[in-house]
Amino acid sequence: FRRHVIDFALFVLPIAIIVVALKGFFLVGIVPSMSMYPLMNSDSGIVGNRLAYLAHEPQRGDVIVFRKNGIFMTKRIIGIPGDRIALQNGLLYINEQPIVETYLSDTVETQPLNGINYFEVPEDGYVVMGDNRIDSNDSRGWSNPYITKKNIVAKVLC
C-alpha cells in the first residue's frame, strides 16, 4: 500500500507543481465578444503572459487582458503615457500623425463614441480599443477612458 501512495504522490506532485506554475505565469481565457475581430472571434481561446510587464512597459499595439470595473477585457493598446490621440474623419492620429492600422479589417473606421474625439494620455495611463471598432466597448466610450498599468493582467501571446 505504501508503495502505491508513493507512486501516486510522485505522479501527482509534478503535475500540481506545473499547474501552479502555469497559473502564476500564464492566463488562459475565452474572448466573449467580437470586439477584437479579425484577430479573434467570439469564443476564441487566448493565452496571456502575466509577467510580460515586469521587465518593460506596455507598448502601443500590444493586445492585453485588463480589468475594468471588475470585468476582464481584451483590447489593443492604442495610446501610451504622453500620447495625444485624435479621431478624425474615420482615422486615428497619434501625436498629430495619421496611423495606418494594418490589423483592422478594410471596412473599419475609427469613429469617436459619446462625442469624445481627443485624448491626452496621462502618466501611467493607456488608451485601448478593440480592432472591431463598430462593436467594441473601449476607451472611446468610457467616462474615464484610461486604464492603468496596475489593471493590466497579461499580454496576449496567442
Side-chain angles (χ1 to χ4, degrees):
F1 175 74
R2 184 173 184 204
R3 179 72 184 150
H4 291 300
V5 170
I6 291 171
D7 287 345
F8 181 74
L10 289 175
F11 175 74
V12 171
L13 188 60
I15 292 173
I17 290 170
I18 290 170
V19 167
V20 168
L22 287 177
K23 180 125 174 86
F25 297 128
F26 297 102
L27 170 79
V28 178
I30 302 290
V31 177
S33 73
M34 291 295 287
S35 71
M36 288 302 294
Y37 180 82
L39 179 66
M40 301 173 198
N41 288 314
S42 180
D43 298 328
S44 291
I46 60 170
V47 176
N49 178 355
R50 291 182 183 269
L51 306 179
Y53 300 121
L54 291 180
H56 64 85
E57 296 300 309
Q59 300 296 306
R60 185 180 302 108
D62 289 355
V63 177
I64 60 170
V65 176
F66 60 96
R67 279 192 188 95
K68 178 76 173 173
N69 300 325
I71 298 170
F72 286 99
M73 301 179 87
T74 302
K75 305 289 180 206
R76 186 179 301 276
I77 295 175
I78 300 299
I80 59 175
D83 278 348
R84 293 175 315 284
I85 308 292
L87 311 176
Q88 297 175 331
N89 303 320
L91 297 176
L92 170 68
Y93 292 81
I94 300 177
N95 302 323
E96 291 87 38
Q97 299 299 313
I99 303 301
V100 176
E101 297 179 278
T102 57
Y103 41 81
L104 299 180
S105 71
D106 294 336
T107 59
V108 171
E109 291 185 347
T110 303
Q111 299 293 338
L113 299 176
N114 299 334
I116 300 170
N117 69 341
Y118 185 77
F119 307 91
E120 287 192 26
V121 186
E123 190 71 27
D124 196 40
Y126 298 88
V127 169
V128 295
M129 293 183 198
D131 290 355
N132 184 4
R133 305 282 161 77
I134 298 166
D135 186 23
S136 181
N137 174 19
D138 56 38
S139 290
R140 297 171 299 150
W142 301 333
S143 59
N144 177 5
Y146 310 107
I147 63 162
T148 61
K149 185 177 175 182
K150 72 177 183 178
N151 289 322
I152 297 175
V153 176
K155 178 180 179 181
V156 174
L157 298 173
C158 60

